[in-house]
Each structure stands twice: as C-alpha cells, then as structure tokens.
Amino acid sequence: MAAAEDSDTTNGTRPFTVASSGLTSVTVNATEADNDGTTTQSLVVSSTSVSVPEGGTSSYTVRLAAQPSGNVTVTNTAGSGDTNITVSSGASLTFTTSNWNTAQTVTLAAAEDSDSTAGTRPITVASSGLTSVTVTATEADNDGGPVGPRADNPYANAGVYVNPQWRSKALAEPGGSRIANQPTGVWFDRISALTGNGSPTTGTMGLADHLDQAVTQDAANGSAPMVIQIVVYNLPGRDCAALASNGELGPTELARYKSEYIDVMAGILARPAYANLRIVAIIEIDSLPNLVTNVGGRATATAMCDTMLANRGYVDGVGYALNKLGAIPNVYNYIDAAHHGWVGWDDNFGATANMMFTAATASGSTAANVHGFITNTANTSALTEPYVGSVTEQLRQTTWIDWNRYNDELTFAQAFRSRLIQSGFSSSIGMLIDTSRNGWGSCVQTPCQPTQATRPTAASTSTDPNTFVNQSRIDRRIHKGNWCNQAGAGLGERPRSAPATGIDAYVWIKPPGESDGSSSLIPNDEGKGFDRMCDPTYTGNARNGNSMSGALPGAPVSGHWFSAQFQQLMANAYPPLS
C-alpha cells in the first residue's frame, strides 16, 4: 500500500477488502501516518519581537523544524497597526528538501514620519497546514519623545558609565581603588558577547545587561545625562594586519556580521528603556586604515588586507553598521582612525580620510551617520610631545619621526579632523582620543624601555637631530609600530569632555588591564590567534622597522585580564596617581 503526499494534517483511514470466490472476505483498515502535522513540522522564527529604527531596517530569520517532502512556501504578512512598518524583503520564502534548515532573512523597514510615537505592527509568518507565528515589530521613533535634543558633544555635562565588572577587577588589584571608578569602553568582540552569560556579579554581562546598569547609574546621576561607550568590533576578516585580535568571522561572512551581530545589536540599543542614554558607538577598531596602509605592493601589505579591500567586507560592513546604528536617535557613531604613527604620513593621511568617507556612504549609509572619529584606541602614542615641539623638516628626517608630519596624538587628531571635513564630513564632527595607556610616566616599574628610564622634563640640548628627539620624546617605545602590551607604558590623561579644540573628549576606551594579545600561543575559542608582536623575544617585521616588539612577558589572550600590565600602568601614570 502507498499513501500519496497531501497538504492536510489529518491521519486519514481507508478500508481495503480482501476477498476470494467462495471464501469469507476480510476488511483491512489502512491508516495514513501523516507527515504534515505540527508535531513533526513547524516554523522556527529567530525572534517574535523586533525593533525597527525609524528610517532604517531590522530583520528576523525563518526556517523549518523538519525536512519537508516537497517545496514549502512561507509568507510574512504585515497586519493592522503602524503602516510605516513594512516587509521590505522576504515577504515570500521558499524552503526545499535541501535548504529547509537554512535560516532565511525577512527585512522590515520603518518609514520616516513626523510623529513621536513608537508604533507597532504584527507580522504574521504563515504556511499552509502549519501554526502561524506572530512577530511584533516596534518602530524606534526618532522624532523626539523621551530622547530629547541631540547633543553636539555627547560627553558635555554628562556622566559616563562605569563598567561594574571592570571596576571589580580594578578593586581586586593593590592600589586599584584609585582608578576603579573611571569610565571605560565595553567591548563586544563576538556575537555571543551581545547576550553574555551572567550578571554584574557572575559570568559575562551582555549588551542589555550593561545598558540596564547604565540606566541605574543614570538614575543616580541626578539631572545630568549618562553616556555609555560600546565598542563595535566583529568585522569579517577582522584586523587583517595582526593575529592577536583576529575574530570569529571569516573574510566572506559579511551576511552573518549583518544579521547576527549588527541587527541584533541595533535591536537592543533601540529599546525604549534605553532612550534616555547617550550611546557612543566606537566603530570597528583598526579596520579602514588597514585598507590604505597594509595593501598593494607595500612592504607592510598582508594577503588578508588585500582580500578585505577587494571584497569590500570592511567598507560594506562599516557602512551597514553606521546605517543601522545611526538610525537610532540616541546613538553617536565614532569611527576608529588609528593613530598618528600609522596614518600621519603623507601617503596615508588623505587616502585614509577618503577611505573613511567611502565606508560612511556605503551600504545605504550617509556621512550624517558619523558623529566623529577616535584616534589612539588601545594604543600608546603620546598625547603631546612638549619637548620635541613642532615637527620641522629637519626633525622629519630623524629615525623616530621617520618623515611623519605628526609626532603626537593631539596635533594629529586636530589636523585629521580638518582633512576629514575636506573629504566630505560635516564641519561639526568631533574627535575622541584614547588616553588609557599613553601617559609614559616615571617608568619606575621594570621592565622599562632601555633608551631612557625616566620621563623627560626638558628638551635635549643636543645639536644632533636624532639624539635631540630620542632624549626629548615622551613616548618611550622602541618603535612607533609597536602596539602590543608595551613595556613602560602608563595611564594617561583621565577621561574628561572638551579638553581641546575639536576634541569631544579624552576617553579610556581600552580598559586598563585588558591584554592586547598573548605572549605565546594560547588555544582559545574566541578566534584570537598568536601574534609575534606580543612576544617580547620577537625581533620585528617591516611594520615596526624590524625592531624588538617591546611587549611585556606573560600576557594572556587579548581582552583577558593582565594584572602585571594593570600594575605597570598605575605605576607609570602621568599625571601620576595620588
């Protein structure tokens, strides 16, 4: 006997008579074992509640729970409610016997309107014979409401979020109470970091956990607004010129970056509960400058950077992040712009600014989604070099400055801001400078750089340009290309708003005490490799002039707590800690 495929969910029966002439017949009841019932087949929807930024998009995914016997059509239909919310793509999905378990994306859009209402609209996910699923789409309105006017400088007159988990680690260190209440950036360097696996006291806090804590700190902050600083850091093929900060997504996984990382992040940030926060998003450290400095025929080029330039993974990924996050009215996007020792050369300066504008106008984004830029993130370039002074043509020829037009972060950030405006960005953009590790104080803790054991207090009297620079400079690295867990580094200026012309704030985006990378190979499940630039015995490469790495020994995987580094940063702080 055979049972033909049908679309109903009934276990039907049919009698069959077994007979022969002269004998008593027998009836056999055949019952269909139906394969269309909801007990073996159903719609699997990634989320039943989606926040859609006004003027932007958001998404969810759909798949089947079991393999069908033929093609299955799934429709996504908008019901009654806020008509500004529509299904922009994925209204009809087809699943086959081979792709039934592959999630397909449904994209929702929210049109711009003039009201301040966060409207909702149900989206019905349905297929014949299956139980439908309702997805509630909520518009994240950008027309006022509780958010209030957008700040020119989000840090002005505002409190800044103190990460309770970083604070507890700082407090556990001898002397750590002196800085435990400083605000630091919160890094989201993989998809799972968005959800976390614990609470403020146990496990790892997710994005919503931190935002909830920021709301609590805001409530205790009086009438002043509250800033929370998050680091968006999970591009496909991440950090193509290094290994210690490689990530979980391969160079071709841009779709996952969008749907599983940025879309999820945007949905959380757009929740009404967080509308009163000022959310500063630091966009993709070390990405776009790599597409200028480490590609093509340059001695510093890497095959991965060439790949990411060719496949537009960085450009389109950054553009997508800016577009999605920029549609949320209380998010302020700052793109990472490396530092003077990377971008300050003539060949890199304008080209990097132009690359920034290319990314800011990719994937549906516009330059208006960029509030500013940040330099020196997780780096140790000195804020100012008071004893070297301005970079003359003679000083440009010295080994340390090496033809760079800039010798400190403040002059570079101010000049690069002007160049970014020339490339097409608004004249209102502001700059941030990460001062978490660029103090280069008294160098009282060993190991220290061999060239000088103490911070200079006056300009050198030498008439030899190289000797003059080396005896006068605050930055005590062996080479400006050195970046990993630098020996002798100290805490820099404490975070504060509007410290100089064109600078929105000095910030501690890299939390002091979090490693840049492991000193030796340490297997891990975070996609982070071993980079020899974190090995104190490494003699270097073209990117650091084939110099010693200057890295501290005994370091753990990037982002993990490094007590020796934390203690060194406090000991060498400038201004000194009291």
Side-chain angles (χ1 to χ4, degrees):
M1 296 179 185
E5 285 289 345
D6 56 31
S7 60
D8 64 50
T9 60
T10 303
N11 295 322
T13 62
R14 188 178 186 183
F16 289 83
T17 300
V18 184
S20 180
S21 179
L23 299 178
T24 301
S25 62
V26 178
T27 299
V28 177
N29 288 313
T31 301
E32 174 195 44
D34 188 80
N35 64 3
D36 299 294
T38 56
T39 56
T40 57
Q41 184 62 283
S42 63
L43 299 169
V44 180
V45 181
S46 60
S47 177
T48 57
S49 180
V50 176
S51 178
V52 188
E54 181 178 330
T57 61
S58 193
S59 63
Y60 60 89
T61 63
V62 182
R63 64 177 177 84
L64 299 182
Q67 185 177 32
S69 58
N71 289 356
V72 174
T73 299
V74 176
T75 57
N76 295 269
T77 307
S80 60
D82 188 343
T83 56
N84 288 322
I85 300 173
T86 57
V87 179
S88 62
S89 67
S92 180
L93 309 173
T94 300
F95 292 91
T96 68
T97 56
S98 58
N99 78 346
W100 62 274
N101 198 32
T102 300
Q104 298 190 44
T105 300
V106 180
T107 301
L108 307 180
E112 288 285 353
D113 58 29
S114 58
D115 64 50
S116 59
T117 303
T120 64
R121 192 176 193 184
I123 311 297
T124 301
V125 186
S127 182
S128 177
L130 301 181
T131 300
S132 62
V133 177
T134 298
V135 175
T136 301
T138 303
E139 175 194 48
D141 192 83
N142 63 5
D143 297 296
V147 177
R150 191 168 176 83
D152 176 62
N153 178 357
Y155 291 87
N157 302 311
V160 187
Y161 174 66
V162 177
N163 178 352
Q165 294 202 308
W166 178 81
R167 182 178 184 274
S168 67
K169 292 176 182 176
L171 287 172
E173 293 280 348
S177 60
R178 293 174 294 174
I179 64 169
N181 289 324
Q182 291 291 349
T184 56
V186 184
W187 290 58
F188 295 94
D189 61 358
R190 54 196 182 278
I191 293 167
S192 63
L194 296 176
T195 54
N197 62 1
S199 69
T201 55
T202 60
T204 301
M205 294 168 64
L207 178 55
D209 297 320
H210 283 288
L211 293 166
D212 290 340
Q213 287 292 307
V215 169
T216 299
Q217 292 182 23
D218 187 26
N221 197 39
S223 60
M226 175 62 65
V227 172
I228 179 171
Q229 305 167 118
I230 65 170
V231 181
V232 182
Y233 191 50
N234 199 31
L235 276 175
R238 190 178 71 195
D239 205 349
C240 57
L243 297 176
S245 49
N246 285 167
E248 64 185 349
L249 300 180
T252 62
E253 293 190 280
L254 181 60
R256 286 192 65 199
Y257 175 77
K258 292 178 178 180
S259 65
E260 298 181 40
Y261 182 69
I262 294 298
D263 287 356
V264 174
M265 175 181 287
I268 295 171
L269 296 179
R271 292 175 183 173
Y274 310 133
N276 284 326
L277 298 174
R278 294 178 180 179
I279 303 169
V280 168
I282 307 299
I283 306 296
E284 295 297 351
I285 311 303
D286 295 340
S287 58
L288 300 176
N290 268 316
L291 302 185
V292 174
T293 64
N294 294 315
V295 295
R298 297 189 181 208
T300 57
T302 70
M304 181 61 78
C305 288
D306 283 333
T307 294
M308 299 318 299
L309 176 64
N311 72 10
R312 291 179 58 92
Y314 285 4
V315 167
D316 289 338
V318 168
Y320 188 83
L322 292 171
N323 191 38
K324 293 286 292 189
L325 302 184
I328 304 170
N330 57 319
V331 171
Y332 298 78
N333 290 320
Y334 288 80
I335 302 177
D336 181 71
H339 56 90
H340 83 273
W342 193 357
V343 177
W345 282 276
D346 292 348
D347 288 348
N348 300 341
F349 195 72
T352 302
N354 291 340
M355 179 63 73
M356 300 285 181
F357 190 80
T358 297
T361 53
S363 299
S365 182
T366 69
N369 287 319
V370 180
H371 200 78
F373 295 81
I374 181 170
T375 74
N376 207 44
T377 310
N379 206 266
T380 52
S381 295
L383 181 64
T384 61
E385 288 285 5
Y387 308 125
V388 174
S390 60
V391 180
T392 64
E393 286 301 305
Q394 183 183 43
L395 292 184
R396 286 183 71 205
Q397 300 175 50
T398 60
T399 301
W400 173 255
I401 297 177
D402 191 25
W403 298 100
N404 199 313
R405 292 194 183 276
Y406 305 94
N407 195 43
D408 62 52
E409 281 308 293
L410 181 56
T411 57
F412 166 72
Q414 292 170 324
F416 195 55
R417 177 180 179 273
S418 297
R419 184 60 182 82
L420 288 160
I421 294 170
Q422 180 184 335
S423 291
F425 290 100
S426 169
S427 60
S428 66
I429 58 171
M431 305 296 287
L432 305 176
I433 301 176
D434 188 347
T435 59
S436 60
R437 301 187 298 175
N438 68 348
W440 294 104
S442 59
C443 225
V444 296
Q445 180 160 322
T446 56
C448 195
Q449 300 295 358
T451 52
Q452 187 169 326
T454 58
R455 179 185 176 94
T457 57
S460 170
T461 58
S462 175
T463 57
D464 176 74
N466 275 304
T467 302
F468 171 82
V469 169
N470 284 330
Q471 290 182 349
S472 302
R473 60 185 168 95
I474 300 298
D475 190 336
R476 303 317 305 166
R477 286 177 293 177
I478 298 170
H479 190 277
K480 287 186 180 182
N482 288 353
W483 54 268
C484 191
N485 299 323
Q486 289 299 283
L491 299 169
E493 291 282 348
R494 312 308 180 251
R496 69 180 190 271
S497 69
T501 301
I503 310 300
D504 281 351
Y506 294 152
V507 292
W508 284 7
I509 295 302
K510 177 71 173 183
E514 291 191 3
S515 173
D516 294 322
S518 58
S519 301
S520 59
L521 178 62
I522 299 177
N524 64 88
D525 60 359
E526 300 174 18
K528 297 168 183 176
F530 168 54
D531 197 301
R532 290 296 306 279
M533 287 296 289
C534 300
D535 177 358
T537 69
Y538 185 47
T539 56
N541 54 44
R543 288 187 290 282
N544 80 330
N546 296 108
S547 304
M548 296 296 291
S549 70
L552 287 168
V557 170
S558 64
H560 291 223
W561 191 254
F562 188 12
S563 177
Q565 183 208 66
F566 185 82
Q567 288 295 327
Q568 174 194 263
L569 291 174
M570 290 194 299
N572 297 333
Y574 192 89
L577 297 177
S578 58

PDB file of all heavy atoms in Angstrom, residues 85-111:
ATOM      1  N   ILE A  85       5.585  50.688   9.139  1.00  0.00           N
ATOM      2  CA  ILE A  85       6.388  49.462   9.211  1.00  0.00           C
ATOM      3  C   ILE A  85       5.922  48.523   8.098  1.00  0.00           C
ATOM      4  O   ILE A  85       4.738  48.180   8.001  1.00  0.00           O
ATOM      5  CB  ILE A  85       6.233  48.776  10.571  1.00  0.00           C
ATOM      6  CG1 ILE A  85       6.687  49.719  11.697  1.00  0.00           C
ATOM      7  CG2 ILE A  85       7.023  47.473  10.622  1.00  0.00           C
ATOM      8  CD1 ILE A  85       6.407  49.185  13.085  1.00  0.00           C
ATOM      9  N   THR A  86       6.855  48.114   7.252  1.00  0.00           N
ATOM     10  CA  THR A  86       6.533  47.244   6.122  1.00  0.00           C
ATOM     11  C   THR A  86       7.550  46.117   6.008  1.00  0.00           C
ATOM     12  O   THR A  86       8.649  46.186   6.571  1.00  0.00           O
ATOM     13  CB  THR A  86       6.525  48.025   4.795  1.00  0.00           C
ATOM     14  OG1 THR A  86       7.804  48.655   4.611  1.00  0.00           O
ATOM     15  CG2 THR A  86       5.430  49.088   4.794  1.00  0.00           C
ATOM     16  N   VAL A  87       7.158  45.087   5.266  1.00  0.00           N
ATOM     17  CA  VAL A  87       8.091  43.998   4.940  1.00  0.00           C
ATOM     18  C   VAL A  87       8.795  44.398   3.655  1.00  0.00           C
ATOM     19  O   VAL A  87       8.198  44.410   2.576  1.00  0.00           O
ATOM     20  CB  VAL A  87       7.344  42.660   4.755  1.00  0.00           C
ATOM     21  CG1 VAL A  87       8.338  41.552   4.401  1.00  0.00           C
ATOM     22  CG2 VAL A  87       6.569  42.305   6.015  1.00  0.00           C
ATOM     23  N   SER A  88      10.072  44.747   3.759  1.00  0.00           N
ATOM     24  CA  SER A  88      10.782  45.254   2.579  1.00  0.00           C
ATOM     25  C   SER A  88      11.399  44.142   1.749  1.00  0.00           C
ATOM     26  O   SER A  88      11.608  44.299   0.545  1.00  0.00           O
ATOM     27  CB  SER A  88      11.866  46.254   2.988  1.00  0.00           C
ATOM     28  OG  SER A  88      12.842  45.635   3.808  1.00  0.00           O
ATOM     29  N   SER A  89      11.700  43.020   2.351  1.00  0.00           N
ATOM     30  CA  SER A  89      12.185  41.869   1.585  1.00  0.00           C
ATOM     31  C   SER A  89      11.898  40.597   2.374  1.00  0.00           C
ATOM     32  O   SER A  89      11.863  40.620   3.611  1.00  0.00           O
ATOM     33  CB  SER A  89      13.685  41.975   1.282  1.00  0.00           C
ATOM     34  OG  SER A  89      14.465  41.876   2.460  1.00  0.00           O
ATOM     35  N   GLY A  90      11.687  39.495   1.657  1.00  0.00           N
ATOM     36  CA  GLY A  90      11.389  38.219   2.307  1.00  0.00           C
ATOM     37  C   GLY A  90       9.920  37.990   2.570  1.00  0.00           C
ATOM     38  O   GLY A  90       9.557  37.156   3.410  1.00  0.00           O
ATOM     39  N   ALA A  91       9.048  38.704   1.849  1.00  0.00           N
ATOM     40  CA  ALA A  91       7.613  38.516   2.063  1.00  0.00           C
ATOM     41  C   ALA A  91       7.180  37.089   1.747  1.00  0.00           C
ATOM     42  O   ALA A  91       6.254  36.554   2.350  1.00  0.00           O
ATOM     43  CB  ALA A  91       6.822  39.511   1.218  1.00  0.00           C
ATOM     44  N   SER A  92       7.847  36.469   0.781  1.00  0.00           N
ATOM     45  CA  SER A  92       7.562  35.078   0.437  1.00  0.00           C
ATOM     46  C   SER A  92       8.876  34.308   0.383  1.00  0.00           C
ATOM     47  O   SER A  92       9.806  34.699  -0.334  1.00  0.00           O
ATOM     48  CB  SER A  92       6.834  34.993  -0.913  1.00  0.00           C
ATOM     49  OG  SER A  92       6.566  33.650  -1.250  1.00  0.00           O
ATOM     50  N   LEU A  93       8.958  33.241   1.158  1.00  0.00           N
ATOM     51  CA  LEU A  93      10.160  32.420   1.221  1.00  0.00           C
ATOM     52  C   LEU A  93       9.828  31.009   0.757  1.00  0.00           C
ATOM     53  O   LEU A  93       8.746  30.501   1.040  1.00  0.00           O
ATOM     54  CB  LEU A  93      10.709  32.359   2.648  1.00  0.00           C
ATOM     55  CG  LEU A  93      10.916  33.695   3.377  1.00  0.00           C
ATOM     56  CD1 LEU A  93      11.310  33.434   4.839  1.00  0.00           C
ATOM     57  CD2 LEU A  93      11.976  34.541   2.679  1.00  0.00           C
ATOM     58  N   THR A  94      10.756  30.388   0.054  1.00  0.00           N
ATOM     59  CA  THR A  94      10.562  29.014  -0.403  1.00  0.00           C
ATOM     60  C   THR A  94      11.614  28.113   0.230  1.00  0.00           C
ATOM     61  O   THR A  94      12.822  28.380   0.130  1.00  0.00           O
ATOM     62  CB  THR A  94      10.659  28.915  -1.931  1.00  0.00           C
ATOM     63  OG1 THR A  94       9.644  29.737  -2.519  1.00  0.00           O
ATOM     64  CG2 THR A  94      10.471  27.474  -2.386  1.00  0.00           C
ATOM     65  N   PHE A  95      11.151  27.071   0.892  1.00  0.00           N
ATOM     66  CA  PHE A  95      12.042  26.088   1.501  1.00  0.00           C
ATOM     67  C   PHE A  95      11.898  24.772   0.735  1.00  0.00           C
ATOM     68  O   PHE A  95      10.788  24.363   0.364  1.00  0.00           O
ATOM     69  CB  PHE A  95      11.705  25.883   2.972  1.00  0.00           C
ATOM     70  CG  PHE A  95      11.998  27.090   3.814  1.00  0.00           C
ATOM     71  CD1 PHE A  95      11.016  28.053   4.039  1.00  0.00           C
ATOM     72  CD2 PHE A  95      13.252  27.281   4.370  1.00  0.00           C
ATOM     73  CE1 PHE A  95      11.279  29.172   4.811  1.00  0.00           C
ATOM     74  CE2 PHE A  95      13.523  28.392   5.138  1.00  0.00           C
ATOM     75  CZ  PHE A  95      12.540  29.345   5.361  1.00  0.00           C
ATOM     76  N   THR A  96      13.007  24.121   0.507  1.00  0.00           N
ATOM     77  CA  THR A  96      13.039  22.866  -0.237  1.00  0.00           C
ATOM     78  C   THR A  96      13.521  21.745   0.656  1.00  0.00           C
ATOM     79  O   THR A  96      13.834  21.951   1.837  1.00  0.00           O
ATOM     80  CB  THR A  96      13.959  22.997  -1.457  1.00  0.00           C
ATOM     81  OG1 THR A  96      15.327  23.129  -1.000  1.00  0.00           O
ATOM     82  CG2 THR A  96      13.595  24.223  -2.301  1.00  0.00           C
ATOM     83  N   THR A  97      13.614  20.575   0.090  1.00  0.00           N
ATOM     84  CA  THR A  97      14.107  19.429   0.860  1.00  0.00           C
ATOM     85  C   THR A  97      15.576  19.573   1.214  1.00  0.00           C
ATOM     86  O   THR A  97      16.074  18.873   2.104  1.00  0.00           O
ATOM     87  CB  THR A  97      13.912  18.128   0.056  1.00  0.00           C
ATOM     88  OG1 THR A  97      14.563  18.259  -1.212  1.00  0.00           O
ATOM     89  CG2 THR A  97      12.424  17.848  -0.170  1.00  0.00           C
ATOM     90  N   SER A  98      16.265  20.494   0.551  1.00  0.00           N
ATOM     91  CA  SER A  98      17.688  20.653   0.846  1.00  0.00           C
ATOM     92  C   SER A  98      18.003  21.893   1.676  1.00  0.00           C
ATOM     93  O   SER A  98      18.976  21.892   2.427  1.00  0.00           O
ATOM     94  CB  SER A  98      18.497  20.704  -0.464  1.00  0.00           C
ATOM     95  OG  SER A  98      18.044  21.775  -1.289  1.00  0.00           O
ATOM     96  N   ASN A  99      17.194  22.968   1.565  1.00  0.00           N
ATOM     97  CA  ASN A  99      17.531  24.185   2.308  1.00  0.00           C
ATOM     98  C   ASN A  99      16.599  24.452   3.488  1.00  0.00           C
ATOM     99  O   ASN A  99      16.593  25.540   4.056  1.00  0.00           O
ATOM    100  CB  ASN A  99      17.526  25.397   1.371  1.00  0.00           C
ATOM    101  CG  ASN A  99      16.121  25.898   1.047  1.00  0.00           C
ATOM    102  OD1 ASN A  99      15.129  25.213   1.302  1.00  0.00           O
ATOM    103  ND2 ASN A  99      16.022  27.081   0.469  1.00  0.00           N
ATOM    104  N   TRP A 100      15.778  23.474   3.870  1.00  0.00           N
ATOM    105  CA  TRP A 100      14.762  23.672   4.900  1.00  0.00           C
ATOM    106  C   TRP A 100      15.329  24.137   6.234  1.00  0.00           C
ATOM    107  O   TRP A 100      14.674  24.837   7.006  1.00  0.00           O
ATOM    108  CB  TRP A 100      13.959  22.390   5.114  1.00  0.00           C
ATOM    109  CG  TRP A 100      14.807  21.236   5.602  1.00  0.00           C
ATOM    110  CD1 TRP A 100      15.526  20.362   4.838  1.00  0.00           C
ATOM    111  CD2 TRP A 100      15.037  20.855   6.965  1.00  0.00           C
ATOM    112  NE1 TRP A 100      16.181  19.445   5.622  1.00  0.00           N
ATOM    113  CE2 TRP A 100      15.891  19.733   6.941  1.00  0.00           C
ATOM    114  CE3 TRP A 100      14.590  21.350   8.185  1.00  0.00           C
ATOM    115  CZ2 TRP A 100      16.325  19.094   8.093  1.00  0.00           C
ATOM    116  CZ3 TRP A 100      15.013  20.723   9.361  1.00  0.00           C
ATOM    117  CH2 TRP A 100      15.875  19.605   9.296  1.00  0.00           C
ATOM    118  N   ASN A 101      16.566  23.748   6.533  1.00  0.00           N
ATOM    119  CA  ASN A 101      17.175  24.079   7.821  1.00  0.00           C
ATOM    120  C   ASN A 101      18.069  25.312   7.754  1.00  0.00           C
ATOM    121  O   ASN A 101      18.733  25.643   8.723  1.00  0.00           O
ATOM    122  CB  ASN A 101      17.982  22.878   8.340  1.00  0.00           C
ATOM    123  CG  ASN A 101      18.274  22.986   9.825  1.00  0.00           C
ATOM    124  OD1 ASN A 101      17.485  23.535  10.583  1.00  0.00           O
ATOM    125  ND2 ASN A 101      19.424  22.471  10.240  1.00  0.00           N
ATOM    126  N   THR A 102      18.105  25.985   6.595  1.00  0.00           N
ATOM    127  CA  THR A 102      18.911  27.198   6.438  1.00  0.00           C
ATOM    128  C   THR A 102      18.027  28.412   6.690  1.00  0.00           C
ATOM    129  O   THR A 102      17.031  28.620   5.991  1.00  0.00           O
ATOM    130  CB  THR A 102      19.515  27.287   5.028  1.00  0.00           C
ATOM    131  OG1 THR A 102      20.354  26.145   4.798  1.00  0.00           O
ATOM    132  CG2 THR A 102      20.334  28.560   4.873  1.00  0.00           C
ATOM    133  N   ALA A 103      18.383  29.215   7.694  1.00  0.00           N
ATOM    134  CA  ALA A 103      17.567  30.381   8.047  1.00  0.00           C
ATOM    135  C   ALA A 103      17.565  31.400   6.910  1.00  0.00           C
ATOM    136  O   ALA A 103      18.621  31.732   6.364  1.00  0.00           O
ATOM    137  CB  ALA A 103      18.083  31.022   9.322  1.00  0.00           C
ATOM    138  N   GLN A 104      16.369  31.864   6.544  1.00  0.00           N
ATOM    139  CA  GLN A 104      16.224  32.902   5.533  1.00  0.00           C
ATOM    140  C   GLN A 104      15.780  34.197   6.214  1.00  0.00           C
ATOM    141  O   GLN A 104      15.018  34.176   7.181  1.00  0.00           O
ATOM    142  CB  GLN A 104      15.220  32.486   4.465  1.00  0.00           C
ATOM    143  CG  GLN A 104      15.654  31.224   3.691  1.00  0.00           C
ATOM    144  CD  GLN A 104      14.766  30.974   2.482  1.00  0.00           C
ATOM    145  OE1 GLN A 104      14.429  31.894   1.738  1.00  0.00           O
ATOM    146  NE2 GLN A 104      14.392  29.713   2.273  1.00  0.00           N
ATOM    147  N   THR A 105      16.265  35.315   5.682  1.00  0.00           N
ATOM    148  CA  THR A 105      16.085  36.604   6.342  1.00  0.00           C
ATOM    149  C   THR A 105      14.860  37.344   5.831  1.00  0.00           C
ATOM    150  O   THR A 105      14.618  37.408   4.623  1.00  0.00           O
ATOM    151  CB  THR A 105      17.330  37.479   6.143  1.00  0.00           C
ATOM    152  OG1 THR A 105      18.471  36.815   6.712  1.00  0.00           O
ATOM    153  CG2 THR A 105      17.169  38.832   6.819  1.00  0.00           C
ATOM    154  N   VAL A 106      14.110  37.888   6.750  1.00  0.00           N
ATOM    155  CA  VAL A 106      12.992  38.779   6.447  1.00  0.00           C
ATOM    156  C   VAL A 106      13.378  40.166   6.955  1.00  0.00           C
ATOM    157  O   VAL A 106      13.706  40.330   8.140  1.00  0.00           O
ATOM    158  CB  VAL A 106      11.688  38.318   7.125  1.00  0.00           C
ATOM    159  CG1 VAL A 106      10.545  39.272   6.783  1.00  0.00           C
ATOM    160  CG2 VAL A 106      11.350  36.889   6.717  1.00  0.00           C
ATOM    161  N   THR A 107      13.384  41.155   6.082  1.00  0.00           N
ATOM    162  CA  THR A 107      13.786  42.505   6.446  1.00  0.00           C
ATOM    163  C   THR A 107      12.566  43.407   6.567  1.00  0.00           C
ATOM    164  O   THR A 107      11.720  43.445   5.678  1.00  0.00           O
ATOM    165  CB  THR A 107      14.751  43.093   5.405  1.00  0.00           C
ATOM    166  OG1 THR A 107      15.907  42.246   5.306  1.00  0.00           O
ATOM    167  CG2 THR A 107      15.205  44.489   5.808  1.00  0.00           C
ATOM    168  N   LEU A 108      12.480  44.109   7.681  1.00  0.00           N
ATOM    169  CA  LEU A 108      11.415  45.069   7.934  1.00  0.00           C
ATOM    170  C   LEU A 108      11.975  46.481   7.840  1.00  0.00           C
ATOM    171  O   LEU A 108      13.133  46.724   8.200  1.00  0.00           O
ATOM    172  CB  LEU A 108      10.819  44.853   9.322  1.00  0.00           C
ATOM    173  CG  LEU A 108      10.337  43.436   9.657  1.00  0.00           C
ATOM    174  CD1 LEU A 108       9.775  43.398  11.073  1.00  0.00           C
ATOM    175  CD2 LEU A 108       9.296  42.950   8.654  1.00  0.00           C
ATOM    176  N   ALA A 109      11.174  47.405   7.350  1.00  0.00           N
ATOM    177  CA  ALA A 109      11.577  48.799   7.237  1.00  0.00           C
ATOM    178  C   ALA A 109      10.565  49.670   7.962  1.00  0.00           C
ATOM    179  O   ALA A 109       9.372  49.352   8.029  1.00  0.00           O
ATOM    180  CB  ALA A 109      11.673  49.213   5.776  1.00  0.00           C
ATOM    181  N   ALA A 110      11.037  50.788   8.508  1.00  0.00           N
ATOM    182  CA  ALA A 110      10.157  51.774   9.143  1.00  0.00           C
ATOM    183  C   ALA A 110      10.386  53.109   8.451  1.00  0.00           C
ATOM    184  O   ALA A 110      11.496  53.657   8.500  1.00  0.00           O
ATOM    185  CB  ALA A 110      10.436  51.882  10.638  1.00  0.00           C
ATOM    186  N   ALA A 111       9.359  53.618   7.792  1.00  0.00           N
ATOM    187  CA  ALA A 111       9.476  54.881   7.058  1.00  0.00           C
ATOM    188  C   ALA A 111       9.575  56.053   8.029  1.00  0.00           C
ATOM    189  O   ALA A 111       9.068  56.006   9.162  1.00  0.00           O
ATOM    190  CB  ALA A 111       8.275  55.062   6.136  1.00  0.00           C
TER     191      ALA A 111
END
